[in-house]
Each structure stands twice: as structure tokens, then as C-alpha cells.
Amino acid sequence: MSAQRHGSGGTRGRHTPSRPVVDTAGGRVRGTTAGEVSVFKGIPYGNVAGGSRFRQAVPARWTGIRDSDRYGPSAPQVHPGAGAVPIHLAWIFDTERRSEDCLVLNVFAPADGGRHRAPVMVFFHGGGFANGSASPIGLDGRNLARRGIVVVSINHRLNVFGHLFLGLDDERYADSGNIGLLDVVLALRWVRENISQFGGDPCRVTIFGQSGGGSKVAGLMAMPAAEGLFHRAIIQSASSALRFATIEEAARNTHHLLEVLQIDQSRLHAVADLPGKVLLEAVPATIAAAGGVDNFRPVIDGRHLPAQPFADDAIGTSSDIPLLMGWCETEQRAAFSLAPENFTQTWGQALERVGRFLDVPRTLASTVMSTYADGRPQDSPGDVMALVYGDHRYRRTATRAAELRVAAADAATYVYLVKWRSPVLGGSLRSPHMLCLPFVFRNVDHANKFVGTEPDRYRLQDEMSQAWVAFARTGSPDCAELPRWPRYSLPGRPTMVFDRHTAVEQDPAARERAVLESCPPYLPAEAEGGRRR
């Protein structure tokens, strides 16, 4: 690591490698080293103070040495955090303070990073575009850094602070609909400028994210401003990676917010001056007024996002970027586990919900349900419904994006499916949303209430994390722990299936994929059963 070593406290002036100091373009930071990894938490990369709400941030600057031994603030959000979720989900939520001044990042680097340039992996957290942060224990980057990777994780503006579109009515806020993604671009510029000081290679940067974080990866792949800032991309379990808000949808969202706040369209500046707490409290009421549609998300504004992710023009922006993407077999069961009555429905009840969710006639809904039920005699109607929900949101996004990439991109696309089942909660989770994360980050022991304690978890952890590391190093996920991983192609659709015996399968569950493709595409901002207004 290119760091000057300084003491602290009573050891000032002595050689103390446990407190490395690194010079960055913004100022000096002091981290901590334990074992093989140096950690720097809460490094500011941008400044949103001084009237920057709804505007692009500027690079952060400070004087002196800044201690970076604790996480910085998370973005303001409606979700109450770790204390308000069941114990099996606590590993993916934090208890950090929240502030609009949340543009901070964390660096986990091999302590010997000064001897070689390590690949860099920049992670974007999930939670849609509304919630989440980089500081939950399940996202700690130390174990991944021990594999010779510099790991960076970031916080950025979310929900109304990151994606309130005001550009139609006030030029001062022309960027406002995509401020959250522009924060991420600023963080990637910080990485390009500074990561070599931590032992990282700025010419081998992989961006990766799960759920909403995966959709952020898709957005960056379509943003001209992000070109050249990363060299590989990984999208894990993203449901909204194909479609962001249109200008009309974003403007409608703004209209509902102004109505909730009782602010006239001619007084947009008043929104920028409101207390943050007032703005945040208006979010649920705005979504309700819009019929359950949440368009506090990126917008195709023709300014920073010229086209939907994976449209032909967008693919051209990142055609040379290798892409790894996939989903978990039973994504929806993580959310459904919070309401177990989902799994005790009758066939008729489940059929009605599937019809509303897919927005199809009862006859087609019945065909979909029956296709999924074939070969699963032990599954209840609720089990089948959960499979349909998850595939409609996540599988269809992954496979459609892969199809579009194969047709138009120069670089390879690789696809995976996680079928390994968690034994917790009596096995009811199966292969849920977020299951990929503990294995990729090598944090299964931090998430044992989610993945269990069976020895097999370590085998899958080695397989997935080593594939991700190999991809960051070379642009291919081939590694010694796995069979050869072919690039995705049609019509075969080769897919690496992570399970008790991981193997490549051609077009897994092909009949189910085909029957869902006869239904309208998933619209990410919708509530269940609602149509976009």
C-alpha cells in the first residue's frame, strides 16, 4: 500500500503499521490494519452541503489527517434499519446515523498492496433506489480483500433526495432526477484518482451490485459520464435493470409530491429549503397518491441517461465491458417470509394474485401456474406463486438483458443461477433474494441466521467468491473451483447453476421461462396488481 505510516495517541511518531495513513486528492486518511487487511471507513468523496440538495456534488476536501475507523452516515430513508427486521435478515441492515451529507465510501485493501496493483471491486448496495447502505456486517469487505482484491463500497443519495425530477420546471435542478447515480459516478472518479494509493489498479475496476445495486450497475453501463471509469460489470438479482422512469412518469411523481407538501409548481425552490425530515415523511404519502407507484428512481432524461439500460444505444455505450449476471431460484421467498400466510393460500387465491401481478387473463394465469406446478408435486399453491413472482421480477430481467447483450455487445456475457437452498426457518427460504451476497463476500459466518451452519456453505462460498474474483482479474469467471463457464449464447443459454453439485445447464427450467415470456414485461415501479398511471 502506498501509505505513509504514522502513530496515533501515545505512539505518535513511532512506526505503527496498524494505523496506516494514505494521501488522497481530498486529504489524508488514517485507517486500521488487522492481519492481512487495511480498512478505511467513511472517507468523504463528495460534498452535498451548502445548497447542493438536488444538485451535483463536488469532490470533498479537508485538511489534516482524517480518522477513517468508523462508517460514515447512511442516506436518509424510510426503512427503520436492523432493529426492525427479523433476525434472519439483520445481517443486511445497519444501525448507522443518517444524514443528507452521506457521500462516503469504504476501502478494504490487502495490507501488502504496495507490492502489486490489485484488481478493484466497487460494490453498490441494494434496497432499490430507496433504502440501504454499504455498512451492514454482511457487506464487510475484509474477507474478499484477503483474496487479493481492493474492495470499495459506497453510500449515495436515495429516494426523494437522489431521484426527485425537477428538471422540467427549473434549470437549476436539471440533474435532479439522476443525482443518486451521479453521486456514484463521482465515487468512481474518486476511485480512478485515488485507488492506486491503496494498492488498487485503476485500470481493472469491476462494478458490482445486488438488487437495486445491480440496477445501478445497469444504469452506469448506459451513462456516457461513466465511460472509462470501470472495466467489468456484475449484476446480481436486479429486477429494475431493464427499465427506469420516463420523463412523464418522473414528472407525475413530482406532481404528487408537491400536492402532498402543498407547494405550488411555481415555488420549486421551497422544496429545496424544506427540512429533510419533512421531505422524507412525504415519500410514503406520495407513493400512495400515485397508486402505489414509486418513481423516485433514475429517469431517462436525455441528459445523463439517453436511453433505457440494455436498449441498443445503451449497449453501445458499454459494448466492450464483460458482464456477469444472474438470479436466485426463489427470489420472492425472502419478502414472502415476512408474511407466512403467503404460503397457505388455496389454488384459487394464488391464481387470482398471479393474474393480477402478471396483468393477464385468468386463463393465461392458470397456464403459467400449471406449468410451474408440473414436476413440483410437493409445492403448495403459495410455493408456486412465489416462484412465478420471483421469476417475473428477476429471472426475466436477467435473461432478457443477456439476450440483448448477446445480440449487440462485443464483450462476453456470463449468466448464473443460484439453486442452493438455505436450511434456516425449516428450509422455507429455499434460494431467496440476497442469498448470493454472503457467498460472494465470503461472509457466510456473519449471515448464519440466513444461510445456516452446514459445512457445505463453505464450498459454495469458495465457488462463488473465486468466480467473482477471477472475473475481476481477467473478465472471465473461469476458476479452478468450477467447471468451465461458457459465455452466454442463443439458443443454448448456458448457465452456471450453483447448487449442491454446481454445474453448467442449458436453458434451465426452459418451459417456465417460455410461458412467462407470453406475459407482459415486469414494470419495476408498480405495486402488486396496480398498473402504471
Side-chain angles (χ1 to χ4, degrees):
M1 181 177 300
S2 303
Q4 300 179 22
R5 307 294 185 176
H6 296 263
S8 61
T11 62
R12 185 174 299 278
R14 295 194 345 218
H15 182 70
T16 56
S18 63
R19 296 303 310 274
V21 173
V22 173
D23 292 326
T24 76
R28 303 171 81 191
V29 293
R30 178 162 43 216
T32 58
T33 297
E36 304 167 326
V37 178
S38 295
V39 179
F40 299 79
K41 296 179 178 178
I43 302 174
Y45 66 86
N47 185 357
V48 298
S52 294
R53 184 186 281 173
F54 309 135
R55 300 184 190 182
Q56 290 198 52
V58 296
R61 300 282 186 266
W62 62 91
T63 58
I65 299 177
R66 183 183 182 99
D67 280 319
S68 298
D69 54 1
R70 60 167 296 171
Y71 287 114
S74 302
Q77 54 197 272
V78 174
H79 196 285
V85 297
I87 191 170
H88 69 281
L89 298 178
W91 62 277
I92 196 60
F93 292 97
D94 74 4
T95 56
E96 300 296 329
R97 68 185 182 91
R98 295 170 177 178
S99 167
E100 289 186 63
D101 192 16
C102 62
L103 304 194
V104 294
L105 56 80
N106 316 298
V107 179
F108 305 85
D112 65 350
R115 292 198 286 270
H116 62 275
R117 291 286 181 90
V120 181
M121 297 182 71
V122 183
F123 181 73
F124 309 136
H125 66 75
F129 299 100
N131 302 303
S133 80
S135 51
I137 186 63
L139 302 180
D140 187 289
R142 270 172 273 222
N143 290 331
L144 194 52
R146 289 188 180 97
R147 314 308 289 184
I149 297 291
V150 175
V151 180
V152 180
S153 57
I154 73 169
N155 288 346
H156 56 89
R157 283 174 282 186
L158 298 168
N159 50 69
V160 68
F161 303 100
H163 298 288
L164 175 62
F165 181 63
L166 302 170
L168 285 181
D169 300 288
D170 195 323
E171 181 60 29
R172 291 175 298 174
Y173 304 119
D175 304 321
S176 61
N178 288 310
I179 284 297
L181 282 182
L182 289 167
D183 289 345
V184 177
V185 170
L186 184 62
L188 290 175
R189 289 177 180 149
W190 185 97
V191 169
R192 181 177 62 184
E193 187 170 6
N194 297 289
I195 207 62
S196 61
Q197 295 295 98
F198 298 84
D201 185 350
C203 296
R204 278 193 297 172
V205 175
T206 298
I207 58 173
F208 71 125
Q210 186 270 344
S211 193
S215 296
K216 294 162 197 171
V217 171
L220 290 166
M221 293 177 72
M223 291 182 75
E227 283 190 77
L229 297 178
F230 60 94
H231 313 93
R232 342 218 189 276
I234 305 174
I235 297 175
Q236 302 171 215
S237 297
S239 66
S240 56
L242 290 172
R243 192 180 189 282
F244 293 159
T246 65
I247 285 179
E248 294 74 19
E249 290 162 349
R252 193 176 305 121
N253 194 67
T254 303
H255 167 77
H256 288 297
L257 177 72
L258 295 177
E259 282 194 333
V260 169
L261 294 171
Q262 298 183 333
I263 292 176
D264 186 82
Q265 196 88 17
S266 63
R267 297 177 55 246
L268 288 180
H269 65 278
V271 182
D273 296 333
L274 285 173
K277 184 174 184 288
V278 173
L279 268 177
L280 191 62
E281 289 175 346
V283 169
T286 299
I287 295 171
V293 176
D294 181 359
N295 272 315
F296 291 117
R297 59 199 189 98
V299 56
I300 307 303
D301 60 358
R303 183 180 176 96
H304 298 293
L305 276 171
Q308 294 285 359
F310 299 105
D312 286 346
D313 291 347
I315 290 176
T317 302
S318 56
S319 177
D320 60 339
I321 302 294
L323 174 64
L324 170 63
M325 65 188 311
W327 77 101
C328 299
E329 185 184 36
T330 58
E331 295 270 3
Q332 192 66 27
R333 293 185 81 98
F336 277 7
S337 70
L338 304 178
E341 61 271 18
N342 283 304
F343 302 114
T344 61
Q345 298 177 85
T346 66
W347 182 268
Q349 290 169 329
L351 178 61
E352 182 179 353
R353 283 186 61 181
V354 165
R356 289 200 310 268
F357 180 60
L358 298 178
D359 192 35
V360 297
R362 184 179 180 88
T363 52
L364 181 51
S366 180
T367 299
V368 171
M369 286 275 289
S370 297
T371 301
Y372 271 77
D374 286 350
R376 294 188 174 92
Q378 304 304 317
D379 278 3
S380 71
D383 293 331
V384 175
M385 180 185 74
L387 275 163
V388 173
Y389 270 55
D391 277 8
H392 186 51
R393 283 180 164 145
Y394 300 98
R395 176 180 181 163
R396 292 190 73 184
T397 298
T399 55
R400 181 57 180 156
E403 291 168 2
L404 293 168
R405 282 272 302 184
V406 166
D410 297 325
T413 298
Y414 301 91
V415 174
Y416 72 88
L417 163 63
V418 180
K419 289 181 69 174
W420 186 93
R421 292 190 174 190
S422 169
V424 306
L425 301 181
S428 63
L429 288 178
R430 300 190 182 181
S431 310
H433 194 55
M434 303 179 293
L435 184 65
C436 53
L437 285 174
F439 297 101
V440 167
F441 274 90
R442 303 187 66 84
N443 283 339
V444 293
D445 288 337
H446 290 320
N448 57 22
K449 301 296 184 184
F450 192 67
V451 304
T453 57
E454 294 182 0
D456 190 56
R457 72 193 190 280
Y458 293 124
R459 189 263 315 163
L460 184 62
Q461 176 174 261
D462 285 341
E463 289 180 349
M464 293 195 71
S465 64
Q466 286 298 99
W468 267 236
V469 166
F471 185 77
R473 289 189 186 282
T474 68
S476 165
D478 273 326
C479 61
E481 288 75 10
L482 293 173
R484 191 185 74 83
W485 191 331
R487 59 194 293 172
Y488 199 73
S489 61
L490 300 176
R493 304 174 184 270
T495 302
M496 185 66 73
V497 180
F498 291 99
D499 204 342
R500 299 291 173 180
H501 301 284
T502 297
V504 174
E505 294 184 18
Q506 302 294 317
D507 198 5
R511 289 183 64 239
E512 295 166 6
R513 175 190 55 77
V515 76
L516 269 188
E517 288 177 357
S518 65
C519 302
Y522 173 62
L523 299 179
E526 288 186 358
E528 179 184 337
R531 296 306 299 163
R532 192 179 301 279
R533 293 184 178 182

